[in-house]
């Protein structure tokens, strides 16, 4: 059917090259939603059908459908295209922003696309056509404009934005100049402080949301951070992406001063030979040292892993991940799996053209990832599977964007039960646990030279098999409501093999004789700051408070004099006013 009888608001074109066919697809999908023929369950299937019917060159994003919706029925369309609110189901709104094109200090890995010297003229390791990269280019890589545009997009499709995690992408951030790092973070925070949550969102693409530099008033970073602690849109965490050999103590200090709470490290593989042959610029020891230093500074730590690199067999790929979780030198909190892709302009592309390298196919990668899903422990979150690189730029390798779904389906057929955080968190599952079935669990393991305690509130009400066991030895649980990562650092008296006084000095003076809380998270759809919990919300019900009290008791029992928490800027007020903590450099701390 046609939607010509309805007036539509399409703001600006979503793409300068948008075709008539694509526009008709967006209008048709919006019309079908209004007529009740499309709901949340069949939206993706209907997208493919309508694209085929109109020969559209690409499948529309949900925001693009909403931009072509009739004004009178915008709320109806928004209700469907928002679908299950996955982006904020974990309790926060992620906002990814891209640094300007800049070469990595060591040069370029053989599989790395992009970079300022490439045909893409993009940020390192990106083609410039990924969503975050496109937002960066649209705003001349000004973080203020990128943040503003992303907030507009999220609000446009119905997501709350009062709690935001900033994700700084674009290569080795810690290798950029100190001035650039401070400017980038400060501008991003200023955008959060200035954002008007009452205005009607208008995420028009094709124009920059960055103000004229001459109109920007100078502000000190410390003042911008202090303002964000009570802003309407608060930064509850900042993620840096970097390489393991750019995580020395000085670089860690700078990230802490800039408000960082999480670091994603490009480990890529645990095989020394593969790292060397791919011109990675570092070996295993740098990765292990980075993991230990970051944890001992209370950061959350994520690994990027790349199975299927040249010289790796299927069994080597699987052994890579076995090492990752079996050996205490590794054991990441977060994991992203990026199978090796062949993109023109790379040395791997040249090897593929010479028939010297065959990357993992869609089917092979789905099989490998399905096996890996069964290895991931309950304390790790499988954050992402597959890069954002558009299929048009992938010459060989995994080009299907739904690799995670394919791997999950294969894992289910094999009887593999996924136990990672994302698979169990309440915001990602339709089932709702009963409060009386939720119990506290404490899992202890070693990682990065220290002792980790994963404290979690989990649902005992649903058990998949009588007598089945979790990795902590208890009866299998179903859903995860919230968790806390408590660490006894590697230099402390409580570390494995440490002497009575501990072996080394802490990485920060504030952490002397302190146990560390590296993360506190309660799941469920995002509850607004100061809002009471709704019937289906798990935030603001006291689970976070109870997890912190448990961490305090465990730390005191282990002989620590204080507990220090790495806290997002916008959460510091909560710890100070609700839990009795005080500001302690980049941390909040309490004497036990």
């Amino acid at each position: 059917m046609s939607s010509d009888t309805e007036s539509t608001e399409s703001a600006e074109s979503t793409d300068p090259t948008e075709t008539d066919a694509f526009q008709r697809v967006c209008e048709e999908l919006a019309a079908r939603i209004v007529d009740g023929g499309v709901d949340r369950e069949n939206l993706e299937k209907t997208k493919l059908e309508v694209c085929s019917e109109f020969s559209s060159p690409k499948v529309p994003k949900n925001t693009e459908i909403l931009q072509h919706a009739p004004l009178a029925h915008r709320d109806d369309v928004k209700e469907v295209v928002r679908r299950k609110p996955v982006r904020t189901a974990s309790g926060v709104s992620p906002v990814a922003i891209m640094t300007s094109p800049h070469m990595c200090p060591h040069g370029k890995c053989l599989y790395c696309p992009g970079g300022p010297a490439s045909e893409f003229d993009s940020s390192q390791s990106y083609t410039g056509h990924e969503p975050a990269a496109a937002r960066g280019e649209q705003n001349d890589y000004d973080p203020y404009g990128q943040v503003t545009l992303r907030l507009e997009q999220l609000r446009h499709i119905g997501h709350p934005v009062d709690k935001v995690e900033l994700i700084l992408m674009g290569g080795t951030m810690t290798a950029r100049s100190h001035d650039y790092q401070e400017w980038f973070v400060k501008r991003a925070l200023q955008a959060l402080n200035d954002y008007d949550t009452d205005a009607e969102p208008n995420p028009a693409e094709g124009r920059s949301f960055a103000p004229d530099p001459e109109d920007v008033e100078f502000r000190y970073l410390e003042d911008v951070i202090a303002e964000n602690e009570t802003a309407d849109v608060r930064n509850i965490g900042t993620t840096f992406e970097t390489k393991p050999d750019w995580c020395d103590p000085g670089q860690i200090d700078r990230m802490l001063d800039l408000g960082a709470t999480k670091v994603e490290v490009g480990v890529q593989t645990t095989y020394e030979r593969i790292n060397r042959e791919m011109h990675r610029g570092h070996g295993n020891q740098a990765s292990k040292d980075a993991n230990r230093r970051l944890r001992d500074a209370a950061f959350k730590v994520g690994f990027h892993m790349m199975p299927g690199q040249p010289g790796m067999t299927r069994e080597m790929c699987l052994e890579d991940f076995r090492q990752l979780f079996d050996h205490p030198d590794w054991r990441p909190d977060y994991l992203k799996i990026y199978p090796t892709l062949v993109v023109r302009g790379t040395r791997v592309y040249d090897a593929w053209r010479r028939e010297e390298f065959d990357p993992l196919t869609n089917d092979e990668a789905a099989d490998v990832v399905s096996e890996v899903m069964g290895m991931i422990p309950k304390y790790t979150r499988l954050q992402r599977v597959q890069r954002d690189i558009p299929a048009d730029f992938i010459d060989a390798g995994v080009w299907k964007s739904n690799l995670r779904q394919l791997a999950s389906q294969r894992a289910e057929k094999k009887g593999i039960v996924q136990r990672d955080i994302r698979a169990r968190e309440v915001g990602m599952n339709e089932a709702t646990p009963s409060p009386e079935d939720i119990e506290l669990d404490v899992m202890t393991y070693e990682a990065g030279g220290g002792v980790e305690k994963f404290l979690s509130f989990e649902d005992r009400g649903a058990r998949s098999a009588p007598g089945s066991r979790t990795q902590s030895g208890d009866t299998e649980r179903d859903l995860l409501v919230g968790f806390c990562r408590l660490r006894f650092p590697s230099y402390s008296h409580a570390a494995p093999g440490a002497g009575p006084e501990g072996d080394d000095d802490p990485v920060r003076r504030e952490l002397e004789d302190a146990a560390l809380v590296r993360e506190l998270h309660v799941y469920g759809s995002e509850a607004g700051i100061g809002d009471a919990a709704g019937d289906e919300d798990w935030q603001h019900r006291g689970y976070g408070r109870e997890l912190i009290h448990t961490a305090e008791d465990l730390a005191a029992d282990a002989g620590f004099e204080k507990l220090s928490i790495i806290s997002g800027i916008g959460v510091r007020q909560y710890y100070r006013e609700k839990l009795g903590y005080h500001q302690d450099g980049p941390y909040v701390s309490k004497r036990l």
Side-chain angles (χ1 to χ4, degrees):
M1 62 165 288
S2 171
S3 59
D4 292 343
T5 56
E6 296 281 356
S7 63
T8 62
E9 177 194 61
S10 57
E12 295 184 28
S13 173
T14 58
D15 188 325
T17 60
E18 180 182 287
T19 64
D20 290 340
F22 178 76
Q23 182 172 341
R24 290 199 300 272
V25 165
C26 293
E27 293 172 350
E28 177 67 16
L29 286 167
R32 292 191 186 187
I33 292 171
V34 171
D35 286 348
V38 180
D39 56 21
R40 298 177 185 180
E41 299 300 322
N42 64 2
L43 176 60
E44 296 303 316
K45 179 182 178 181
T46 308
K47 280 185 185 181
L48 298 177
E49 293 173 353
V50 176
C51 284
S52 176
E53 180 181 341
F54 288 94
S55 300
S56 173
K58 65 175 183 177
V59 178
K61 304 173 187 175
N62 289 359
T63 53
E64 292 168 332
I65 297 173
L66 188 57
Q67 285 177 344
H68 290 80
L71 280 172
H73 298 283
R74 178 171 293 275
D75 289 343
D76 296 332
V77 175
K78 181 185 290 187
E79 186 65 26
V80 172
V81 298
R82 186 186 176 193
R83 297 176 296 152
K84 186 177 180 180
V86 171
R87 296 188 186 280
T88 55
S90 299
V92 299
S93 299
V95 173
I97 52 179
M98 189 71 62
T99 56
S100 60
H102 188 79
M103 285 294 293
C104 281
H106 81 289
K108 191 172 181 179
C109 304
L110 269 58
Y111 42 69
C112 180
S118 72
E119 64 179 86
F120 299 113
D121 189 24
S122 57
S123 299
Q124 197 77 39
S125 80
Y126 295 90
T127 67
H129 295 273
E130 301 81 3
R135 289 195 296 271
E137 184 177 5
Q138 178 179 332
N139 291 277
D140 299 320
Y141 297 101
D142 185 328
Y144 190 103
Q146 295 182 63
V147 169
T148 303
L149 172 57
R150 189 60 182 142
L151 294 177
E152 293 282 273
Q153 290 174 336
L154 287 169
R155 285 187 60 229
H156 188 64
I157 56 175
H159 290 293
V161 296
D162 57 348
K163 290 186 286 186
V164 164
E165 178 187 7
L166 290 174
I167 304 168
L168 315 184
M169 305 170 67
T172 311
M173 179 60 163
T174 51
R176 301 297 293 262
S177 72
H178 292 179
D179 286 347
Y180 181 83
Q181 291 181 49
E182 180 173 320
W183 170 81
F184 196 86
V185 172
K186 182 171 67 173
R187 292 290 290 154
L189 293 174
Q190 281 181 296
L192 298 181
N193 294 343
D194 294 347
Y195 188 76
D196 185 356
T197 56
D198 294 326
E200 184 70 21
N202 179 24
E205 298 189 26
R207 69 178 178 91
S208 174
F209 285 77
D212 188 322
E214 295 184 0
D215 297 333
V216 177
E217 179 184 355
F218 176 80
R219 299 286 306 280
Y220 286 102
L221 174 66
E222 294 78 9
D223 293 337
V224 174
I225 288 176
E227 183 180 347
N228 188 255
E229 290 186 10
T230 56
D232 291 337
V233 182
R234 298 182 194 176
N235 168 236
I236 56 83
T238 298
T239 297
F240 275 62
E241 289 187 351
T242 192
K243 290 175 74 257
D245 49 334
W246 283 87
C247 287
D248 67 24
Q251 289 146 6
I252 287 175
D253 274 346
R254 173 151 291 273
M255 287 190 284
L256 287 167
D257 290 340
L258 293 175
T261 54
K262 177 182 173 185
V263 179
E264 293 185 7
V265 185
V267 172
Q268 312 300 12
T269 180
T270 63
Y271 290 104
E272 292 279 10
R273 175 179 64 83
I274 299 298
N275 269 328
R276 183 174 61 252
E277 292 178 353
M278 293 298 102
H279 297 186
R280 184 66 186 158
H282 66 82
N284 274 355
Q285 194 57 50
S287 297
K288 294 175 182 177
D289 289 344
N291 187 35
R292 173 178 52 80
R293 288 172 182 155
L294 291 167
R295 288 173 180 268
D296 283 348
F299 282 111
K300 302 180 284 288
V301 181
F303 287 178
H304 293 186
M305 295 294 288
M306 186 176 289
Q309 296 181 54
M312 295 180 70
T313 63
R314 177 184 183 278
E315 183 53 38
M316 287 176 67
C317 294
L318 295 177
E319 183 59 29
D320 223 358
F321 288 97
R322 291 191 195 103
Q323 286 293 317
L324 212 61
F325 297 114
D326 289 348
H327 202 286
D329 281 341
W330 307 106
R331 295 176 176 166
D333 305 315
Y334 290 80
L335 178 65
K336 291 183 177 180
I337 303 176
Y338 294 152
T340 307
L341 303 177
V342 174
V343 180
R344 66 194 61 192
T346 66
R347 298 279 293 278
V348 165
Y349 174 84
D350 297 336
W352 171 72
R353 287 293 300 269
R354 294 192 301 267
E355 298 184 354
E356 297 172 357
F357 168 59
D358 288 320
L360 294 173
T361 64
N362 292 312
D363 190 64
E364 291 168 340
D367 186 64
V368 168
V369 174
S370 71
E371 294 290 335
V372 173
M373 286 174 164
M375 303 177 193
I376 301 174
K378 62 179 284 186
Y379 56 77
T380 297
R381 189 175 196 266
L382 179 55
Q383 194 167 357
R384 189 175 183 88
V385 177
Q386 177 64 324
R387 294 285 305 274
D388 258 343
I389 295 175
D392 291 347
F393 296 94
I394 300 172
D395 289 274
V398 180
W399 56 266
K400 289 187 176 180
S401 60
N402 64 333
L403 177 60
R404 184 181 196 132
Q405 180 184 14
L406 297 174
S408 294
Q409 292 170 348
R410 184 160 302 198
E412 186 175 354
K413 289 180 180 179
K414 293 179 179 180
I416 295 172
V417 178
Q418 298 178 52
R419 305 296 302 153
D420 80 286
I421 289 174
R422 189 180 186 275
R424 299 186 303 123
E425 61 189 62
V426 291
M428 295 293 181
N429 290 271
E430 294 182 2
T432 301
S434 299
E436 61 268 20
D437 291 327
I438 297 170
E439 297 185 9
L440 179 66
D441 180 60
V442 179
M443 178 183 180
T444 303
Y445 62 98
E446 296 179 13
V451 174
E452 301 283 350
K453 291 187 178 290
F454 186 75
L455 321 178
S456 56
F457 275 113
E458 306 185 10
D459 171 34
R460 285 184 180 272
R463 299 168 181 169
S464 62
S468 59
R469 316 294 284 182
T470 66
Q471 294 164 47
S472 57
D474 296 327
T475 306
E476 186 171 356
R477 284 95 189 254
D478 181 39
L479 298 177
L480 177 66
V481 172
F483 67 88
C484 174
R485 299 186 192 274
L486 172 66
R487 178 171 175 83
F488 300 160
S490 67
Y491 52 78
S492 72
H493 62 273
E501 302 301 325
D503 292 331
D504 300 302
D505 294 328
V507 292
R508 298 275 303 204
R509 61 173 179 78
E510 296 95 343
L511 302 184
E512 186 173 351
D513 204 22
L516 316 176
V517 166
R518 301 189 299 113
E519 182 171 18
L520 174 68
H521 206 130
V522 177
Y523 285 111
S525 293
E526 182 174 341
I529 294 172
D531 291 348
D535 292 339
E536 297 181 0
D537 294 327
W538 296 95
Q539 297 180 344
H540 301 180
R541 288 192 177 189
Y543 290 111
R545 185 191 301 267
E546 183 63 28
L547 287 167
I548 290 296
H549 288 335
T550 302
E552 291 170 356
D553 291 342
L554 291 172
D557 291 344
F560 289 93
E561 292 186 3
K562 74 175 183 178
L563 184 67
S564 293
I565 304 173
I566 192 167
S567 167
I569 294 167
V571 193
R572 293 172 180 175
Q573 186 182 48
Y574 164 78
Y575 287 113
R576 291 195 299 259
E577 296 184 359
K578 302 292 186 182
L579 298 179
Y581 281 71
H582 66 273
Q583 198 65 43
D584 193 14
Y587 308 99
V588 292
S589 299
K590 177 192 280 187
R591 287 286 167 183
L592 301 177

